[in-house]
Amino acid sequence: MLLTLVIAYLLVTIAIGLYAAKRVKTTTDYAVAGRRLPLVMIVTTTFATWFGSETVLGIPAKFIESGLNGVVEDPFGAGTCLILVGLFFAGKLYRMTLLTISDYYRERYGRSVEVICSFIIMLSYLGWVSAQVTALGLVFNVLSGGVITVTLGMVIGVVSILAYTLFGGMWSVAVTDFIQMIILVVGLAVLAVFAGQQAGGADKVISLVVSKDLFRFWPEPNFKDMLFFFAAAITLMLGSIPQQDVFQRVMSANSPSAATKGPVIGGVFYILFAFVPMFLVASALIIMPEQTAQLLKEDPQKILPTLVLERMPFVMQVLFFGALLSAIKSTASATLLAPSVTFVENIWRQFTPRLGDKQELRTMRLTVLIFGAFVLLYAIKMEGTPIYEMVSGAYQVTLVGSFIPLAFGLYWKKATTQGALFSIVLGLLAWVLFLATPAGEEFPAQLAGILAALVGMLIGSLGPQALKNTHGAHRKLPGTH
């Protein structure tokens, strides 16, 4: 019965998404919803995109294992990313009326930087979308009692998301996000109240968390721990800023005010509401202590689904899996669309002449389909990797390769194309070097990468000017030739 209701829910969201697809007439409609979304929809689609499988399954598992210190990357870093976007990036980018974030790199630095950053951004999405697909496979596997394998569940999930994202683009994503966020918030809030009552009261859950020192946020006061803590914090905080899905939400707004306020409100709400799944899993420590202890050893991501399926009434099960599917589908649809639009707009166009808008729209839809297939294959290959780790790893490449050129391009007039290229190359090389060697165990690879990227930008931009000034001064010296 529960599986039937879940499938019915999937069909309803597909129908809503397809209905919204009727509004798509041009590539602008498809990529950024015609720049017509009001503030409330910018907030809901931003929040819904961020609140994915890692928030419902990954973050609580990490919290129970390591406390707040272990989840500094997400939700704290991830939510702060949206706040920073709204405060420092949205206004400037919105006024440029671009279709993709990679268009900015072309306008500021030229074609070479545009293409390189486009590949970096597209690569980063593999991990994030795959995490959502993996979670969908897990949901269908649990609900069917193992009859549906995780792999088959992944296939069903991808097909259901493609069904409306393929046709409706950002319009379908925004409308379904709006509905899914309501289901998500209401469902998890009701569950939290019910779980608190089962555990003997919210105060008992909080007391248990305090007794286990899970509210400890700051690392041990030694240099190495603080370095890795800081590196984890900035991975999503800065690495998510040069991302097409964030940019799409900014550019879909119907006014500069909605573009700047939407991400800030969505980011604050995301950080606060991410505590609800953490509270639910902490409740499980009281409600089913032995099972929770066993699942912590086997797969902490299954604690919350097990709690709901074995200890809660049918209505609560419907609420939970409706909320979980809402979280996964809203994130997956957005992250399937973003790299596909980037590919067509910033890479495919390099090799083909600009075609009519209808032809380009067809190309975008075909790319969504192909990227969906790639994501499915990658998710199957990565099966068994923790969802939290898949999301975390996805953003390191944009942190070291794309953030510095974006930030310096917007706020430093002396940034040059050569500086951007130096930044990208040095950032990626340092990151790979630290990942592939024991050096990464002593110093975080992503921090080494962003520091190298910063040095590359400064040397590449200021070096030629300094040489020119030195050469000019040398030529003015008496007696020189």
Side-chain angles (χ1 to χ4, degrees):
M1 182 62 181
L2 184 58
L3 182 59
T4 303
L5 285 173
V6 166
I7 292 172
Y9 172 69
L10 289 179
L11 293 175
V12 169
T13 55
I14 290 170
I16 293 168
L18 289 174
Y19 180 78
K22 290 182 177 181
R23 306 190 72 163
V24 176
K25 307 297 181 186
T26 66
T27 51
T28 303
D29 290 335
Y30 193 78
V32 290
R35 292 167 65 90
R36 284 181 283 174
L37 298 184
L39 174 61
V40 65
M41 290 192 77
I42 297 299
V43 172
T44 54
T45 191
T46 302
F47 172 85
T49 299
W50 244 232
F51 209 100
S53 62
E54 72 283 359
T55 319
V56 182
L57 301 176
I59 290 175
K62 197 81 173 175
F63 171 69
I64 291 298
E65 290 178 312
S66 312
L68 289 181
N69 177 263
V71 295
V72 61
E73 194 168 334
D74 192 5
F76 296 105
T80 304
C81 162
L82 292 177
I83 296 169
L84 293 176
V85 166
L87 293 177
F88 301 107
F89 295 87
K92 287 177 175 288
L93 292 171
Y94 185 83
R95 286 188 286 271
M96 295 180 73
T97 62
L98 307 170
L99 197 63
T100 71
I101 188 69
S102 295
D103 286 348
Y104 169 78
Y105 291 109
R106 181 185 66 244
E107 295 292 324
R108 183 66 173 80
Y109 300 114
R111 291 284 186 186
S112 56
V113 176
E114 172 196 12
V115 172
I116 295 169
C117 285
S118 296
F119 274 116
I120 290 171
I121 291 167
M122 287 172 59
L123 179 65
S124 72
Y125 279 102
L126 270 179
W128 197 15
V129 192
S130 296
Q132 314 313 313
V133 173
T134 299
L136 283 169
L138 183 66
V139 168
F140 283 108
N141 178 254
V142 169
L143 287 178
S144 66
V147 174
I148 297 175
T149 64
V150 173
T151 302
L152 180 57
M154 289 179 186
V155 175
I156 295 170
V158 169
V159 170
S160 71
I161 296 160
L162 281 174
Y164 63 84
T165 308
L166 193 63
F167 297 101
M170 189 62 196
W171 264 120
S172 290
V173 169
V175 172
T176 52
D177 278 358
F178 181 78
I179 295 165
Q180 286 167 168
M181 180 189 161
I182 295 170
I183 295 169
L184 170 66
V185 170
V186 172
L188 288 181
V190 171
L191 274 166
V193 172
F194 191 82
Q197 291 174 346
Q198 280 193 321
D203 56 325
K204 286 192 175 182
V205 179
I206 294 170
S207 296
L208 177 67
V209 170
V210 171
S211 69
K212 289 182 173 292
D213 200 24
L214 294 179
F215 278 142
R216 183 175 60 84
F217 181 73
W218 299 107
E220 293 297 326
N222 63 69
F223 185 67
K224 183 178 177 180
D225 284 353
M226 292 179 72
L227 268 183
F228 276 87
F229 177 84
F230 178 73
I234 65 169
T235 299
L236 267 72
M237 187 188 299
L238 305 182
S240 295
I241 291 176
Q243 285 285 13
Q244 176 61 15
D245 62 283
V246 179
F247 179 81
Q248 276 179 305
R249 275 131 195 82
V250 168
M251 298 307 291
S252 296
N254 61 6
S255 68
S257 175
T260 52
K261 291 177 182 176
V264 174
I265 298 170
V268 171
F269 189 39
Y270 173 71
I271 293 173
L272 294 176
F273 205 74
F275 278 92
V276 175
M278 289 188 246
F279 176 85
L280 283 166
V281 173
S283 302
L285 291 170
I286 299 174
I287 299 168
M288 47 176 211
E290 293 178 4
Q291 278 178 288
T292 303
Q294 186 62 34
L295 287 170
L296 277 171
K297 297 175 184 176
E298 296 172 2
D299 187 355
Q301 295 171 155
K302 290 185 177 179
I303 294 173
L304 194 45
T306 303
L307 169 67
V308 173
L309 281 173
E310 296 189 5
R311 299 302 176 98
M312 293 194 176
F314 183 73
V315 174
M316 294 298 161
Q317 293 174 17
V318 173
L319 280 174
F320 172 73
F321 284 101
L324 178 57
L325 280 172
S326 295
I328 297 168
K329 283 170 65 65
S330 59
T331 301
S333 58
T335 48
L336 268 179
L337 178 64
S340 305
V341 171
T342 299
F343 175 79
V344 175
E345 175 71 10
N346 304 108
I347 295 176
W348 182 252
R349 189 172 288 172
Q350 309 293 329
F351 307 103
T352 58
R354 188 178 181 94
L355 304 171
D357 199 70
K358 286 189 176 180
Q359 179 63 40
E360 193 160 321
L361 185 56
R362 280 197 294 270
T363 307
M364 281 186 181
R365 285 171 169 155
L366 179 62
T367 308
V368 169
L369 182 62
I370 294 170
F371 189 75
F374 273 118
V375 164
L376 179 59
L377 292 173
Y378 183 77
I380 292 170
K381 183 177 182 297
M382 297 296 289
E383 190 176 332
T385 304
I387 291 169
Y388 193 92
E389 303 304 326
M390 290 175 77
V391 173
S392 167
Y395 289 105
Q396 291 191 24
V397 65
T398 44
L399 173 69
V400 304
S402 303
F403 173 72
I404 294 294
L406 174 64
F408 275 68
L410 286 172
Y411 284 98
W412 193 44
K413 291 181 179 179
K414 293 182 180 180
T416 65
T417 300
Q418 181 171 292
L421 290 171
F422 272 41
S423 175
I424 294 166
V425 172
L426 287 182
L428 290 173
L429 283 177
W431 176 61
V432 171
L433 179 65
F434 274 73
L435 275 181
T437 64
E441 296 173 11
E442 300 300 321
F443 194 92
Q446 67 267 46
L447 187 55
I450 196 170
L451 290 175
L454 175 61
V455 170
M457 174 59 79
L458 295 175
I459 292 175
S461 297
L462 297 178
Q465 186 62 41
L467 287 173
K468 183 180 177 181
N469 292 341
T470 303
H471 183 64
H474 176 72
R475 289 186 65 174
K476 290 178 184 178
L477 289 173
T480 59
H481 301 285

